[in-house]
Amino acid sequence: MPEFSGWLLDLFEDPREGLILYFIGEDGMRWRLSQSFPITFYALGKDAELRALWQHLKDRPREISLERSQRMDVFKRQAVTVLAVTINNPYEARKIFQQTANRFPNLEYSDADLQISLRFAASTGAFPLSHCHVVADELHHLKEITVLEDAWTLKSTPIPLQILSLSPDVAPHHARPSYLTVEILGETYHFDLRTWRPLLVNLRALIQRYDPDLILTDWGDTWLLPLLLQQSEKYHIPLGLNRETGRCVSWREERTYFSYGQIVYRGQQIHLFGRCHIDRQNAVLWNDYKLDGTIEVSRVTSLPLQTSARVSPGTGISSIEMVTALRQGILVPWQKQQAEMLKPAMDLFTADQGGLVYQPRIGVHKKVAEIDFVSLYPAIMVHFNISPETILPNPTADNLVPALGLAIDTSQEGLIPKALRPLLEKRIEMKKHLASTPTWDPYRKNFKRRASALKWLLVTCFGYLGYKNARFGRIEAHQAVTAYGREALLRAKEAAEDMGFRVIQLYVDGLWVQHPDKTQPEEIEPLLLEIQERTGLPISLDGIYRWVVFVGSRQNKKRPVANRYFGVFQDGSIKVRGIDARRRDSTPFVSDAQMHLLELLASKPEPEDALPEAIRFIRERLRTLRNGQVGLSDLLVRQRLGRKLEAYRTLSPAARAVLQLQAAGKEMRPGQRVPFLYTMGKPGVFAWDRPQHPNPRTVDVERYQRLLLRAAGIVLESWGLDEEKLTEKVLSDASQLTLPVPRKQHPLKHSRNIPGIVNPTVNPTLKNKAQ
């Protein structure tokens, strides 16, 4: 009888065996186990409708079993009678449920469309990539599974993943790749993309020899794997991408959606069975937290690794809530039908005010402490027990929410606080651990990436609380959080002023304060303790600035902007928000120059001492620009396409670039970023991913000069050199900016790979066969 310890790598439904699970054993073995795993969804509604559903399903006893049950409905705040429909094979569940919902549309359904990994985690406690002890029978049927480390362990045992990496030599949307680089266990191979038979044979041999658990690719979802599958079919050379024999890869279609005020694009996805595939160019926040953070997201959300890499943090936080609900016997709505509470118009006005923001004092401020609440909104939900079912319409003096005509039930912990508490506590512990971990510690990078992943999950949990389609969203709970947030920030401000601090800025979850005699971290500690005492919420010192500059609006320099600033901490590190060096649509030529100016200012005891060197640097950068010595890729602007082309009244530069791509047979979707160069004459732009090479002589040098001087002026204006004065000073001696024009260079000599934007069209015939 097999018995081993290892990690749960993958799990999925199977038409014959129910549930298939793949494990990585501590001894290096890879295990495939199966388990019978019936799943249940619930129907709610009028008795006559439920009886009709019972009659419709009762003649399928081999597939389905039925019973009446009691389950908790958080929105009704009570247990309700439901019809429990249990499907014996989880592979058939989605089809059976969809047929039921189509035939009986007037019923409400719960627990209907949940990811199988969430159900498994709620039932057994074992989640993807969990460290487990497993017992199976001789037929490799799972009998027992015991989790050895839960998802909230601070230092988990490293997972011995066997990783195969695949990447083309150039971005396929930009130029035609020549070879494929394959890396595994420190070995690197280069395969010619013009000779497909030897490439396929060698790649198959590597997969068979090393049997990787994870295939990491660049443009694997949108270009590489579709192409490999197409050629594999053409030459009749199977690659064995799946460990699970007899299964085709799973295709997920591309999509564009609206989120937090902007259009977001997600490319198509290719998922594997028995091993995992992650496309680094199509993974959400990969640049922020890499594989370490993606594993952390998978563990705490109970989503499979290749799913957690591609879904938004909002989907992750929703998954945590659903697992908690399943464990508590709470119904997870299929389509939420909860309406907002009726309230007077004046209550709507006073309730929906969002976070508290004070206008900052524009200019330079020295010896300023930045104090932040630790995950303020999640901490409020946990501390004040804010959840859909804890919102009461009849307030009393004891439980009234500040500025709202609502109350909070504190008699028992709500669903949302119960789901968020371990996540918040782990985030706080990680932040403390990072603060005490030296920079040379090899484990620090892992901790930093995992902490970043947890931060993104906690950032989105507040938005999902008010999102109309969220399973457990409720606008009154959302408004209660912001009301408590405003109150907490006001109390923090009062505490600071009572202790003699001058408040420079307030912004939602943090404040910037100044005291002439308190300039060291230990001198700020009493203020932190006082704020925590008055609010009951965790708070920390982000750092003390040597100096910080709050910048005015671009349209009106005298109008302050809350989240547009830069500064230097006492340890020399630089923090930047809202200016070119931070913006994703800024050209590298400008953002790198602006960051260099900040480093120059930070390197001097007094920033004014760096001004002569800063002017010389700007002149030097303009000289290289005018003489064609700046790489074209460093002049690229990447703007998001905000809508379909036909929706534009006046075409933006990005839209004009997309027209050029369309003429070349390349399609762009709203939400994708379009790289282009500013050029002279009409149409004023050159789309970087056109087949033609750009002519360096057509680059609009004057426009890039203005962009550079504007960015430099933002940094230097607090020391008397705004854009106008800087332009006059830098250009006063034009001879310093002119050099002999160098010999004409190949237009792509300075180019570098740019992250994927355009996705080549996948062969629809191949796609249908794979499905």
Side-chain angles (χ1 to χ4, degrees), residues 685-706:
V685 298
F686 184 95
W688 183 249
D689 295 325
R690 291 170 62 183
Q692 301 88 352
H693 291 165
N695 183 353
R697 296 182 182 275
T698 65
V699 170
D700 190 347
V701 173
E702 296 300 319
R703 180 158 192 169
Y704 285 104
Q705 176 178 290
R706 291 196 303 271

Side-chain angles (χ1 to χ4, degrees), residues 320-553:
I320 295 173
E321 294 170 359
M322 287 190 281
V323 170
T324 305
L326 288 172
R327 288 172 176 163
Q328 300 295 318
I330 294 172
L331 295 172
V332 180
W334 174 50
Q335 293 178 336
K336 196 185 72 169
Q337 301 181 13
Q338 183 66 28
E340 183 174 354
M341 292 179 180
L342 292 174
K343 52 180 75 72
M346 184 54 68
D347 285 355
L348 289 173
F349 176 77
T350 57
D352 196 11
Q353 294 185 14
L356 179 64
V357 176
Y358 266 31
Q359 301 289 9
R361 303 172 188 268
I362 295 176
V364 184
H365 305 274
K366 295 185 177 182
K367 299 178 181 179
V368 174
E370 181 179 351
I371 299 171
D372 291 327
F373 286 98
V374 180
S375 300
L376 175 62
Y377 285 168
I380 287 173
M381 296 180 212
V382 171
H383 184 76
F384 294 103
N385 199 37
I386 298 177
S387 191
E389 75 277 23
T390 63
I391 300 295
L392 303 175
N394 302 313
T396 66
D398 296 331
N399 58 13
L400 182 66
V401 179
L404 294 179
L406 300 170
I408 302 295
D409 180 6
T410 57
S411 60
Q412 59 181 0
E413 188 173 33
L415 171 65
I416 301 302
K418 194 171 291 184
L420 292 182
R421 185 180 297 280
L423 188 67
L424 179 63
E425 291 174 350
K426 186 173 185 179
R427 158 78 170 147
I428 293 172
E429 285 302 311
M430 275 196 165
K431 196 165 184 178
K432 291 179 182 177
H433 185 83
L434 275 171
S436 61
T437 302
T439 55
W440 50 262
D441 191 319
Y443 207 70
R444 179 180 173 83
K445 186 178 291 185
N446 170 277
F447 253 76
K448 196 168 184 178
R449 290 170 176 170
R450 291 168 60 205
S452 177
L454 297 180
K455 177 197 75 175
W456 279 108
L457 288 171
L458 288 167
V459 163
T460 57
C461 71
F462 164 69
Y464 258 61
L465 194 60
Y467 178 43
K468 65 178 180 179
N469 293 326
R471 310 289 183 125
F472 299 105
R474 187 168 196 161
I475 191 62
E476 290 83 8
H478 182 90
Q479 292 169 349
V481 172
T482 58
Y484 276 118
R486 295 191 298 272
E487 180 68 19
L489 204 56
L490 284 174
R491 291 187 182 186
K493 172 182 176 291
E494 291 168 357
E497 291 175 339
D498 289 347
M499 298 180 71
F501 286 85
R502 179 190 183 207
V503 177
I504 305 295
Q505 156 76 319
L506 296 177
Y507 186 68
V508 182
D509 64 348
L511 62 160
W512 286 254
V513 297
Q514 188 182 54
H515 195 292
D517 302 324
K518 297 179 181 180
T519 60
Q520 297 303 316
E522 59 272 15
E523 295 170 338
I524 307 297
E525 188 67 24
L527 174 59
L528 300 181
L529 295 174
E530 180 64 21
I531 292 174
Q532 190 160 337
E533 176 68 24
R534 295 193 187 191
T535 63
L537 301 171
I539 195 164
S540 65
L541 176 66
D542 196 43
I544 299 177
Y545 292 96
R546 283 166 34 200
W547 51 263
V548 62
V549 177
F550 289 96
V551 183
S553 167

Side-chain angles (χ1 to χ4, degrees), residues 262-313:
Q262 64 182 8
I263 297 293
V264 179
Y265 172 81
R266 296 281 179 248
Q268 74 168 14
Q269 305 171 19
I270 294 182
H271 292 232
L272 305 181
F273 295 95
R275 61 169 58 97
C276 301
H277 167 237
I278 297 177
D279 178 354
R280 290 172 288 213
Q281 305 297 330
N282 200 32
V284 177
L285 296 169
W286 181 269
N287 291 335
D288 192 71
Y289 50 62
K290 308 295 182 187
L291 181 60
D292 292 331
T294 306
I295 289 174
E296 181 71 19
V297 171
S298 178
R299 288 169 57 86
V300 301
T301 63
S302 300
L303 291 171
L305 180 62
Q306 53 189 347
T307 301
S308 64
R310 295 173 173 90
V311 298
S312 69

Side-chain angles (χ1 to χ4, degrees), residues 1-2 17 20 31-35 135-143:
M1 184 168 69
E17 300 179 74
I20 303 298
W31 296 87
R32 178 191 184 274
L33 305 180
S34 63
Q35 185 185 40
V135 179
D137 62 19
E138 291 76 6
L139 298 177
H140 284 208
H141 294 156
L142 178 66
K143 307 303 290 184

